[in-house]
């Protein structure tokens, strides 16, 4: 169902993005309720044993294009914007890291699949760089500390060398 909302014009700056009306009003956005939401669903359908689109090459290309959009919309810090409100936002980036981390783990666990290996590598690189960007950059409201901690914990499970433990511990000490 999301195929019709994906930008397929290679000359468009949002090539690969899934468009949604939730927050962005039909405009491209890399947040968790926009592109990442449909990207993760596409990955789940691709990776699910017995899915009619398991290992589908067209779907894999759409996934790769969506991941590439996600990476292009990262700031140099690794963070993304919630275009309606928060620029270079650790919590909004955290929501995407949380959402994508389980897909990277599932892709890593699917042995013998070249497509799963591509998803693990390319989406994993997004998770790594986004998580790295979150370290030490705070959060907008006290209730967002949970997403920062949760996202970094999930990213550290995937990338044990990620230097986020002290930062997470310092947030949790705030109480």
């Amino acid at each position: 169902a999301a195929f019709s909302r994906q930008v397929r014009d290679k000359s468009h700056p949002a090539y690969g993005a899934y468009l949604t009306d939730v927050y962005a009003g039909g405009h491209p956005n890399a947040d968790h309720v926009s592109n990442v939401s449909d990207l993760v669903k596409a990955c789940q359908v691709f990776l699910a044993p017995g899915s009619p689109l398991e290992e589908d090459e067209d779907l894999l290309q759409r996934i790769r294009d969506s991941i590439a959009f996600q990476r292009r919309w990262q700031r140099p810090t690794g963070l993304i914007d919630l275009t309606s409100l928060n620029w270079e936002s650790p919590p909004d980036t955290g929501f995407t890291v949380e959402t994508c981390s389980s897909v990277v783990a599932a892709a890593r666990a699917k042995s013998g699949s070249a497509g799963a290996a591509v998803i693990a590598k390319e989406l994993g690189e997004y998770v790594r760089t986004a998580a790295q960007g979150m370290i030490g950059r705070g959060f907008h409201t006290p209730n967002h500390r949970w997403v920062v901690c949760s996202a970094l914990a999930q990213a550290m499970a995937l990338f044990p060398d990620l230097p986020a433990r002290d930062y997470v511990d310092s947030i949790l000490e705030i109480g």
Side-chain angles (χ1 to χ4, degrees):
F3 280 9
S4 65
R5 292 185 286 101
Q6 190 176 30
V7 177
R8 301 308 298 156
D9 177 357
K10 290 184 179 187
S11 67
H12 195 286
Y15 175 69
Y18 289 99
L19 303 179
T20 182
D21 290 331
V22 176
Y23 287 114
H27 300 287
N29 195 338
D31 72 13
H32 65 292
V33 296
S34 298
N35 186 64
V36 166
S37 177
D38 285 322
L39 166 59
V40 165
K41 290 173 192 167
C43 290
Q44 291 166 337
V45 168
F46 181 87
L47 296 169
S51 163
L53 293 175
E54 181 182 12
E55 301 292 327
D56 183 87
E57 289 300 317
D58 178 55
L59 179 56
L60 180 60
Q61 187 58 55
R62 287 172 174 273
I63 289 167
R64 295 184 78 192
D65 294 341
S66 180
I67 294 169
F69 164 80
Q70 195 69 27
R71 297 294 314 275
R72 286 193 313 274
W73 280 52
Q74 279 183 288
R75 299 286 187 151
T77 59
L79 300 175
I80 63 159
D81 302 330
L82 176 63
T83 58
S84 63
L85 184 61
N86 299 325
W87 299 99
E88 222 163 344
S89 171
D92 293 298
T93 303
F95 284 118
T96 68
V97 169
E98 276 191 326
T99 305
C100 294
S101 289
S102 61
V103 171
V104 173
R108 285 181 176 180
K110 187 165 183 169
S111 62
S113 168
V118 166
I119 292 169
K121 180 181 180 211
E122 293 179 11
L123 191 56
E125 189 55 28
Y126 170 76
V127 167
R128 175 189 279 285
T129 57
Q132 182 71 45
M134 293 170 58
I135 299 170
R137 291 212 166 76
F139 38 89
H140 310 297
T141 62
N143 65 327
H144 276 152
R145 66 180 173 230
W146 70 267
V147 72
V148 170
C149 292
S150 174
L152 289 174
Q154 290 181 55
M156 286 188 293
L158 294 170
F159 303 100
D161 63 323
L162 193 66
R165 180 61 186 251
D166 289 343
Y167 181 57
V168 170
D169 287 347
S170 73
I171 293 171
L172 294 175
E173 286 175 4
I174 295 170

mmCIF file with all atom_site columns, all heavy atoms in Angstrom, residues 94-111:
data_model
loop_
_atom_site.group_PDB
_atom_site.id
_atom_site.type_symbol
_atom_site.label_atom_id
_atom_site.label_alt_id
_atom_site.label_comp_id
_atom_site.label_asym_id
_atom_site.label_entity_id
_atom_site.label_seq_id
_atom_site.pdbx_PDB_ins_code
_atom_site.Cartn_x
_atom_site.Cartn_y
_atom_site.Cartn_z
_atom_site.occupancy
_atom_site.B_iso_or_equiv
_atom_site.pdbx_formal_charge
_atom_site.auth_seq_id
_atom_site.auth_comp_id
_atom_site.auth_asym_id
_atom_site.auth_atom_id
_atom_site.pdbx_PDB_model_num
ATOM 1   N N   . GLY A 1 94  ? 16.114 9.466   18.088 1.00 0.00 ? 94  GLY A N   1
ATOM 2   C CA  . GLY A 1 94  ? 15.991 8.280   18.927 1.00 0.00 ? 94  GLY A CA  1
ATOM 3   C C   . GLY A 1 94  ? 14.802 7.413   18.555 1.00 0.00 ? 94  GLY A C   1
ATOM 4   O O   . GLY A 1 94  ? 14.910 6.181   18.557 1.00 0.00 ? 94  GLY A O   1
ATOM 5   N N   . PHE A 1 95  ? 13.682 8.031   18.252 1.00 0.00 ? 95  PHE A N   1
ATOM 6   C CA  . PHE A 1 95  ? 12.523 7.249   17.830 1.00 0.00 ? 95  PHE A CA  1
ATOM 7   C C   . PHE A 1 95  ? 12.849 6.429   16.579 1.00 0.00 ? 95  PHE A C   1
ATOM 8   O O   . PHE A 1 95  ? 12.411 5.289   16.442 1.00 0.00 ? 95  PHE A O   1
ATOM 9   C CB  . PHE A 1 95  ? 11.312 8.144   17.577 1.00 0.00 ? 95  PHE A CB  1
ATOM 10  C CG  . PHE A 1 95  ? 10.628 8.637   18.816 1.00 0.00 ? 95  PHE A CG  1
ATOM 11  C CD1 . PHE A 1 95  ? 10.549 9.995   19.090 1.00 0.00 ? 95  PHE A CD1 1
ATOM 12  C CD2 . PHE A 1 95  ? 10.056 7.755   19.725 1.00 0.00 ? 95  PHE A CD2 1
ATOM 13  C CE1 . PHE A 1 95  ? 9.920  10.461  20.233 1.00 0.00 ? 95  PHE A CE1 1
ATOM 14  C CE2 . PHE A 1 95  ? 9.418  8.210   20.871 1.00 0.00 ? 95  PHE A CE2 1
ATOM 15  C CZ  . PHE A 1 95  ? 9.349  9.572   21.126 1.00 0.00 ? 95  PHE A CZ  1
ATOM 16  N N   . THR A 1 96  ? 13.622 7.011   15.646 1.00 0.00 ? 96  THR A N   1
ATOM 17  C CA  . THR A 1 96  ? 13.979 6.261   14.433 1.00 0.00 ? 96  THR A CA  1
ATOM 18  C C   . THR A 1 96  ? 14.977 5.160   14.746 1.00 0.00 ? 96  THR A C   1
ATOM 19  O O   . THR A 1 96  ? 14.896 4.071   14.174 1.00 0.00 ? 96  THR A O   1
ATOM 20  C CB  . THR A 1 96  ? 14.531 7.176   13.319 1.00 0.00 ? 96  THR A CB  1
ATOM 21  O OG1 . THR A 1 96  ? 15.805 7.708   13.685 1.00 0.00 ? 96  THR A OG1 1
ATOM 22  C CG2 . THR A 1 96  ? 13.562 8.296   12.983 1.00 0.00 ? 96  THR A CG2 1
ATOM 23  N N   . VAL A 1 97  ? 15.913 5.436   15.643 1.00 0.00 ? 97  VAL A N   1
ATOM 24  C CA  . VAL A 1 97  ? 16.893 4.417   16.020 1.00 0.00 ? 97  VAL A CA  1
ATOM 25  C C   . VAL A 1 97  ? 16.185 3.235   16.683 1.00 0.00 ? 97  VAL A C   1
ATOM 26  O O   . VAL A 1 97  ? 16.458 2.077   16.363 1.00 0.00 ? 97  VAL A O   1
ATOM 27  C CB  . VAL A 1 97  ? 17.986 5.004   16.936 1.00 0.00 ? 97  VAL A CB  1
ATOM 28  C CG1 . VAL A 1 97  ? 18.850 3.917   17.556 1.00 0.00 ? 97  VAL A CG1 1
ATOM 29  C CG2 . VAL A 1 97  ? 18.856 5.993   16.155 1.00 0.00 ? 97  VAL A CG2 1
ATOM 30  N N   . GLU A 1 98  ? 15.261 3.515   17.584 1.00 0.00 ? 98  GLU A N   1
ATOM 31  C CA  . GLU A 1 98  ? 14.479 2.440   18.215 1.00 0.00 ? 98  GLU A CA  1
ATOM 32  C C   . GLU A 1 98  ? 13.745 1.606   17.172 1.00 0.00 ? 98  GLU A C   1
ATOM 33  O O   . GLU A 1 98  ? 13.767 0.378   17.212 1.00 0.00 ? 98  GLU A O   1
ATOM 34  C CB  . GLU A 1 98  ? 13.418 3.040   19.142 1.00 0.00 ? 98  GLU A CB  1
ATOM 35  C CG  . GLU A 1 98  ? 13.877 3.380   20.497 1.00 0.00 ? 98  GLU A CG  1
ATOM 36  C CD  . GLU A 1 98  ? 12.693 3.714   21.388 1.00 0.00 ? 98  GLU A CD  1
ATOM 37  O OE1 . GLU A 1 98  ? 11.692 4.291   20.921 1.00 0.00 ? 98  GLU A OE1 1
ATOM 38  O OE2 . GLU A 1 98  ? 12.783 3.393   22.569 1.00 0.00 ? 98  GLU A OE2 1
ATOM 39  N N   . THR A 1 99  ? 13.096 2.268   16.256 1.00 0.00 ? 99  THR A N   1
ATOM 40  C CA  . THR A 1 99  ? 12.285 1.595   15.249 1.00 0.00 ? 99  THR A CA  1
ATOM 41  C C   . THR A 1 99  ? 13.138 0.750   14.309 1.00 0.00 ? 99  THR A C   1
ATOM 42  O O   . THR A 1 99  ? 12.750 -0.360  13.943 1.00 0.00 ? 99  THR A O   1
ATOM 43  C CB  . THR A 1 99  ? 11.469 2.635   14.449 1.00 0.00 ? 99  THR A CB  1
ATOM 44  O OG1 . THR A 1 99  ? 10.705 3.418   15.364 1.00 0.00 ? 99  THR A OG1 1
ATOM 45  C CG2 . THR A 1 99  ? 10.536 1.986   13.458 1.00 0.00 ? 99  THR A CG2 1
ATOM 46  N N   . CYS A 1 100 ? 14.297 1.261   13.950 1.00 0.00 ? 100 CYS A N   1
ATOM 47  C CA  . CYS A 1 100 ? 15.155 0.564   12.979 1.00 0.00 ? 100 CYS A CA  1
ATOM 48  C C   . CYS A 1 100 ? 16.033 -0.514  13.612 1.00 0.00 ? 100 CYS A C   1
ATOM 49  O O   . CYS A 1 100 ? 16.425 -1.465  12.932 1.00 0.00 ? 100 CYS A O   1
ATOM 50  C CB  . CYS A 1 100 ? 16.036 1.574   12.249 1.00 0.00 ? 100 CYS A CB  1
ATOM 51  S SG  . CYS A 1 100 ? 15.129 2.716   11.183 1.00 0.00 ? 100 CYS A SG  1
ATOM 52  N N   . SER A 1 101 ? 16.352 -0.385  14.889 1.00 0.00 ? 101 SER A N   1
ATOM 53  C CA  . SER A 1 101 ? 17.276 -1.336  15.524 1.00 0.00 ? 101 SER A CA  1
ATOM 54  C C   . SER A 1 101 ? 16.766 -2.764  15.477 1.00 0.00 ? 101 SER A C   1
ATOM 55  O O   . SER A 1 101 ? 17.538 -3.704  15.215 1.00 0.00 ? 101 SER A O   1
ATOM 56  C CB  . SER A 1 101 ? 17.550 -0.925  16.971 1.00 0.00 ? 101 SER A CB  1
ATOM 57  O OG  . SER A 1 101 ? 18.350 0.233   17.001 1.00 0.00 ? 101 SER A OG  1
ATOM 58  N N   . SER A 1 102 ? 15.488 -2.967  15.723 1.00 0.00 ? 102 SER A N   1
ATOM 59  C CA  . SER A 1 102 ? 14.965 -4.341  15.704 1.00 0.00 ? 102 SER A CA  1
ATOM 60  C C   . SER A 1 102 ? 15.023 -4.933  14.294 1.00 0.00 ? 102 SER A C   1
ATOM 61  O O   . SER A 1 102 ? 15.216 -6.140  14.135 1.00 0.00 ? 102 SER A O   1
ATOM 62  C CB  . SER A 1 102 ? 13.536 -4.393  16.246 1.00 0.00 ? 102 SER A CB  1
ATOM 63  O OG  . SER A 1 102 ? 12.674 -3.613  15.453 1.00 0.00 ? 102 SER A OG  1
ATOM 64  N N   . VAL A 1 103 ? 14.880 -4.097  13.285 1.00 0.00 ? 103 VAL A N   1
ATOM 65  C CA  . VAL A 1 103 ? 14.975 -4.579  11.901 1.00 0.00 ? 103 VAL A CA  1
ATOM 66  C C   . VAL A 1 103 ? 16.411 -4.980  11.584 1.00 0.00 ? 103 VAL A C   1
ATOM 67  O O   . VAL A 1 103 ? 16.655 -6.010  10.947 1.00 0.00 ? 103 VAL A O   1
ATOM 68  C CB  . VAL A 1 103 ? 14.466 -3.514  10.904 1.00 0.00 ? 103 VAL A CB  1
ATOM 69  C CG1 . VAL A 1 103 ? 14.767 -3.916  9.476  1.00 0.00 ? 103 VAL A CG1 1
ATOM 70  C CG2 . VAL A 1 103 ? 12.983 -3.292  11.090 1.00 0.00 ? 103 VAL A CG2 1
ATOM 71  N N   . VAL A 1 104 ? 17.370 -4.174  12.035 1.00 0.00 ? 104 VAL A N   1
ATOM 72  C CA  . VAL A 1 104 ? 18.775 -4.523  11.811 1.00 0.00 ? 104 VAL A CA  1
ATOM 73  C C   . VAL A 1 104 ? 19.084 -5.851  12.493 1.00 0.00 ? 104 VAL A C   1
ATOM 74  O O   . VAL A 1 104 ? 19.727 -6.731  11.899 1.00 0.00 ? 104 VAL A O   1
ATOM 75  C CB  . VAL A 1 104 ? 19.711 -3.400  12.304 1.00 0.00 ? 104 VAL A CB  1
ATOM 76  C CG1 . VAL A 1 104 ? 21.172 -3.831  12.235 1.00 0.00 ? 104 VAL A CG1 1
ATOM 77  C CG2 . VAL A 1 104 ? 19.496 -2.122  11.487 1.00 0.00 ? 104 VAL A CG2 1
ATOM 78  N N   . ALA A 1 105 ? 18.608 -6.033  13.715 1.00 0.00 ? 105 ALA A N   1
ATOM 79  C CA  . ALA A 1 105 ? 18.830 -7.296  14.428 1.00 0.00 ? 105 ALA A CA  1
ATOM 80  C C   . ALA A 1 105 ? 18.193 -8.463  13.671 1.00 0.00 ? 105 ALA A C   1
ATOM 81  O O   . ALA A 1 105 ? 18.814 -9.534  13.530 1.00 0.00 ? 105 ALA A O   1
ATOM 82  C CB  . ALA A 1 105 ? 18.270 -7.205  15.844 1.00 0.00 ? 105 ALA A CB  1
ATOM 83  N N   . ALA A 1 106 ? 16.979 -8.286  13.169 1.00 0.00 ? 106 ALA A N   1
ATOM 84  C CA  . ALA A 1 106 ? 16.301 -9.353  12.422 1.00 0.00 ? 106 ALA A CA  1
ATOM 85  C C   . ALA A 1 106 ? 17.038 -9.662  11.119 1.00 0.00 ? 106 ALA A C   1
ATOM 86  O O   . ALA A 1 106 ? 17.166 -10.830 10.736 1.00 0.00 ? 106 ALA A O   1
ATOM 87  C CB  . ALA A 1 106 ? 14.852 -8.967  12.138 1.00 0.00 ? 106 ALA A CB  1
ATOM 88  N N   . ALA A 1 107 ? 17.517 -8.628  10.456 1.00 0.00 ? 107 ALA A N   1
ATOM 89  C CA  . ALA A 1 107 ? 18.249 -8.834  9.205  1.00 0.00 ? 107 ALA A CA  1
ATOM 90  C C   . ALA A 1 107 ? 19.561 -9.571  9.466  1.00 0.00 ? 107 ALA A C   1
ATOM 91  O O   . ALA A 1 107 ? 19.952 -10.464 8.701  1.00 0.00 ? 107 ALA A O   1
ATOM 92  C CB  . ALA A 1 107 ? 18.511 -7.492  8.525  1.00 0.00 ? 107 ALA A CB  1
ATOM 93  N N   . ARG A 1 108 ? 20.231 -9.224  10.554 1.00 0.00 ? 108 ARG A N   1
ATOM 94  C CA  . ARG A 1 108 ? 21.471 -9.932  10.909 1.00 0.00 ? 108 ARG A CA  1
ATOM 95  C C   . ARG A 1 108 ? 21.196 -11.404 11.215 1.00 0.00 ? 108 ARG A C   1
ATOM 96  O O   . ARG A 1 108 ? 22.024 -12.268 10.950 1.00 0.00 ? 108 ARG A O   1
ATOM 97  C CB  . ARG A 1 108 ? 22.117 -9.289  12.132 1.00 0.00 ? 108 ARG A CB  1
ATOM 98  C CG  . ARG A 1 108 ? 22.804 -7.972  11.845 1.00 0.00 ? 108 ARG A CG  1
ATOM 99  C CD  . ARG A 1 108 ? 23.417 -7.440  13.129 1.00 0.00 ? 108 ARG A CD  1
ATOM 100 N NE  . ARG A 1 108 ? 24.174 -6.219  12.913 1.00 0.00 ? 108 ARG A NE  1
ATOM 101 C CZ  . ARG A 1 108 ? 24.801 -5.566  13.885 1.00 0.00 ? 108 ARG A CZ  1
ATOM 102 N NH1 . ARG A 1 108 ? 24.750 -6.033  15.138 1.00 0.00 ? 108 ARG A NH1 1
ATOM 103 N NH2 . ARG A 1 108 ? 25.474 -4.467  13.626 1.00 0.00 ? 108 ARG A NH2 1
ATOM 104 N N   . ALA A 1 109 ? 20.042 -11.694 11.773 1.00 0.00 ? 109 ALA A N   1
ATOM 105 C CA  . ALA A 1 109 ? 19.707 -13.056 12.183 1.00 0.00 ? 109 ALA A CA  1
ATOM 106 C C   . ALA A 1 109 ? 19.270 -13.940 11.017 1.00 0.00 ? 109 ALA A C   1
ATOM 107 O O   . ALA A 1 109 ? 19.237 -15.168 11.157 1.00 0.00 ? 109 ALA A O   1
ATOM 108 C CB  . ALA A 1 109 ? 18.600 -13.025 13.236 1.00 0.00 ? 109 ALA A CB  1
ATOM 109 N N   . LYS A 1 110 ? 18.948 -13.346 9.892  1.00 0.00 ? 110 LYS A N   1
ATOM 110 C CA  . LYS A 1 110 ? 18.453 -14.143 8.757  1.00 0.00 ? 110 LYS A CA  1
ATOM 111 C C   . LYS A 1 110 ? 19.648 -14.613 7.922  1.00 0.00 ? 110 LYS A C   1
ATOM 112 O O   . LYS A 1 110 ? 20.150 -13.897 7.062  1.00 0.00 ? 110 LYS A O   1
ATOM 113 C CB  . LYS A 1 110 ? 17.482 -13.324 7.910  1.00 0.00 ? 110 LYS A CB  1
ATOM 114 C CG  . LYS A 1 110 ? 16.816 -14.156 6.840  1.00 0.00 ? 110 LYS A CG  1
ATOM 115 C CD  . LYS A 1 110 ? 15.623 -13.477 6.237  1.00 0.00 ? 110 LYS A CD  1
ATOM 116 C CE  . LYS A 1 110 ? 14.983 -14.399 5.225  1.00 0.00 ? 110 LYS A CE  1
ATOM 117 N NZ  . LYS A 1 110 ? 13.696 -13.926 4.776  1.00 0.00 ? 110 LYS A NZ  1
ATOM 118 N N   . SER A 1 111 ? 20.070 -15.808 8.178  1.00 0.00 ? 111 SER A N   1
ATOM 119 C CA  . SER A 1 111 ? 21.254 -16.335 7.501  1.00 0.00 ? 111 SER A CA  1
ATOM 120 C C   . SER A 1 111 ? 20.928 -16.747 6.065  1.00 0.00 ? 111 SER A C   1
ATOM 121 O O   . SER A 1 111 ? 19.809 -17.131 5.753  1.00 0.00 ? 111 SER A O   1
ATOM 122 C CB  . SER A 1 111 ? 21.833 -17.510 8.280  1.00 0.00 ? 111 SER A CB  1
ATOM 123 O OG  . SER A 1 111 ? 20.893 -18.550 8.351  1.00 0.00 ? 111 SER A OG  1
#
